[in-house]
Amino acid sequence: MEKVVASPREWIDRNESAKAMLARVLTARPLLLLPPLHRVPLRVGNVVELVGTSSSAKTQILIQAAVSCVLPKEWNGVYYGGLDRLFCLNFLGSIKKIDQEHMDFDLWNNDTKKNPTYDEELYSLCMRRFLFIRCYDSFQFLATLKTLHYRIQKEQELHGISVHILMIDGIGAFHWIDRASTFMPLGATNRKTPSLQTVSETVVQEIRKLLLLHPMLVIATKATIFGDRYSMTETKRNLGKLDASNSRSISSTSLQLPYREYMPSVWQTFVTHRVLVGASDDPLIRTNDSDRSLYFSEWLLPPQSFVDKFIVKEAGVFMVP
């Protein structure tokens, strides 16, 4: 009797039938990520792009998703609801330092604020599942993607669990530097100069290979180059145009969004989901401890006729009614 479920390696080695491959992929359960990525079911193999300015909480959303990934479902009788998986993060360009302050997820042994006990063992377990790689230029990024399979394989053998999410923050970090430079390393006079298109094609190709060997969700951030703020009023006005047309075929990118697409088409067509995030022009939200900046998110791909509002706190990202 033919096997129904095989492995990605068997598909690469031509030992897995198309029927078995489809059964394996289609039975993968959706990733239930936290806000604002909860509106559309996300599965392994999806490539999600978070678009926004530097002050639009993109990195905070990534960290919150990472926390959800590395946390166990249950620990010492306490339910955390995590995915209990490995997590890989590529940081490109200028980044904030990631330490306990930024990865300070809720690892308390009770739900009350009275005499909480910090679980150091759980924290250490989660951080061991966190694979962090920083790249300083496009060549390092490409080299990382080409060797990432072996690093992931080693981590999976060490921990006995698979990688579930690959994050890239941000995908266009070196675009303008590469565009303005000769793209020639010092001393490499005989080396062929790669173009921006070639680099993007190689990035997409290497990520495709990774997804075949390690089925996972890919989330990449992309900084916008025009427009510091995207007002909630303008968002509603654009969505009103979409509703007035009574057609779901109009994409949000056709509604004069305040950013210009600069990534090559090979990357644009590789993306399966796109979310626009930004700082709202609505008043700040007052919470019990302090005032919080208000952010918004809008699904551009697939297009959705609503806008979500959220705030960022030390404990994570929270939706606002």
Side-chain angles (χ1 to χ4, degrees):
M1 184 175 180
E2 183 183 19
K3 290 190 298 182
V4 176
V5 179
S7 68
R9 169 59 68 179
E10 290 186 76
W11 173 257
I12 299 255
D13 295 337
R14 300 183 180 180
N15 294 326
E16 182 186 25
S17 66
K19 178 180 178 181
M21 184 274 292
L22 288 174
R24 170 172 52 81
V25 174
L26 294 178
T27 54
R29 67 185 180 91
L31 293 174
L32 301 178
L33 294 180
L34 300 177
L37 302 179
H38 66 298
R39 289 292 188 181
V40 177
L42 299 174
R43 303 177 183 273
V44 294
N46 290 154
V47 180
V48 184
E49 185 181 73
L50 286 174
V51 186
T53 63
S54 59
S55 59
S56 56
K58 298 189 302 297
T59 300
Q60 286 83 352
I61 294 173
L62 291 189
I63 292 176
Q64 184 68 10
V67 169
S68 177
C69 181
V70 299
L71 274 174
K73 183 175 295 185
E74 187 175 343
W75 179 266
N76 290 338
V78 179
Y79 180 78
Y80 290 96
L83 296 175
D84 207 11
R85 300 293 186 92
L86 291 174
F87 165 81
C88 179
L89 175 63
N90 280 313
F91 262 113
L92 313 179
S94 175
I95 65 168
K96 297 178 180 178
K97 180 182 178 182
I98 293 185
D99 50 21
Q100 183 166 343
E101 178 183 355
H102 294 93
M103 292 293 291
D104 192 16
F105 37 81
D106 208 3
L107 301 181
W108 307 108
N109 285 330
N110 54 56
D111 296 330
T112 66
K113 295 184 178 180
K114 296 180 179 180
N115 301 321
T117 303
Y118 185 76
D119 197 326
E120 182 64 31
E121 182 181 359
L122 176 57
Y123 178 81
S124 299
L125 170 68
C126 292
M127 293 307 295
R128 287 195 299 269
R129 296 175 174 178
F130 184 87
L131 176 59
F132 172 82
I133 305 171
R134 174 158 186 191
C135 304
Y136 292 88
D137 55 45
S138 291
F139 286 109
Q140 287 190 1
F141 182 42
L142 291 176
T144 297
L145 290 178
K146 288 180 177 294
T147 59
L148 193 55
H149 159 64
Y150 302 100
R151 298 190 65 170
I152 290 177
Q153 191 174 41
K154 181 179 179 180
E155 293 295 326
Q156 289 183 164
E157 294 174 354
L158 178 63
H159 297 278
I161 53 179
S162 61
V163 172
H164 222 37
I165 303 179
L166 169 65
M167 294 184 180
I168 304 172
D169 189 21
I171 191 61
F174 308 124
H175 176 87
W176 300 106
I177 297 176
D178 296 342
R179 185 172 179 176
S181 67
T182 59
F183 230 95
M184 284 288 289
L186 295 176
T189 57
N190 296 325
R191 186 173 182 176
K192 183 179 179 181
T193 304
S195 64
L196 290 173
Q197 181 70 21
T198 302
V199 172
S200 296
E201 289 174 353
T202 306
V203 167
V204 170
Q205 181 182 23
E206 293 301 326
I207 295 179
R208 288 188 190 277
K209 291 179 182 178
L210 275 173
L211 293 181
L212 285 174
L213 295 171
H214 307 281
M216 53 186 168
L217 175 68
V218 179
I219 305 179
T221 65
K222 183 178 68 182
T224 57
I225 57 176
F226 290 130
D228 295 331
R229 295 178 68 85
Y230 189 41
S231 70
M232 191 68 67
T233 302
E234 185 65 21
T235 303
K236 294 176 180 177
R237 184 182 302 118
N238 284 338
L239 291 175
K241 295 178 183 178
L242 181 61
D243 294 338
S245 66
N246 195 26
S247 173
R248 299 291 292 177
S249 63
I250 300 178
S251 66
S252 293
T253 54
S254 66
L255 299 179
Q256 303 298 320
L257 295 177
Y259 71 89
R260 194 181 97 191
E261 182 59 69
Y262 56 89
M263 291 296 292
S265 59
V266 64
W267 170 260
Q268 296 181 44
T269 55
F270 184 52
V271 172
T272 62
H273 298 73
R274 182 173 289 111
V275 184
L276 177 67
V277 292
S280 171
D281 58 358
D282 284 0
L284 298 180
I285 298 297
R286 178 170 293 277
T287 60
N288 294 333
D289 49 355
S290 63
D291 291 340
R292 299 289 177 182
S293 296
L294 182 64
Y295 302 92
F296 76 91
S297 63
E298 174 194 358
W299 282 88
L300 306 182
L301 182 68
Q304 302 291 324
S305 58
F306 55 80
V307 175
D308 284 322
K309 299 179 183 179
F310 64 93
I311 59 174
V312 178
K313 303 176 66 175
E314 291 182 0
V317 179
F318 297 91
M319 302 303 297
V320 176

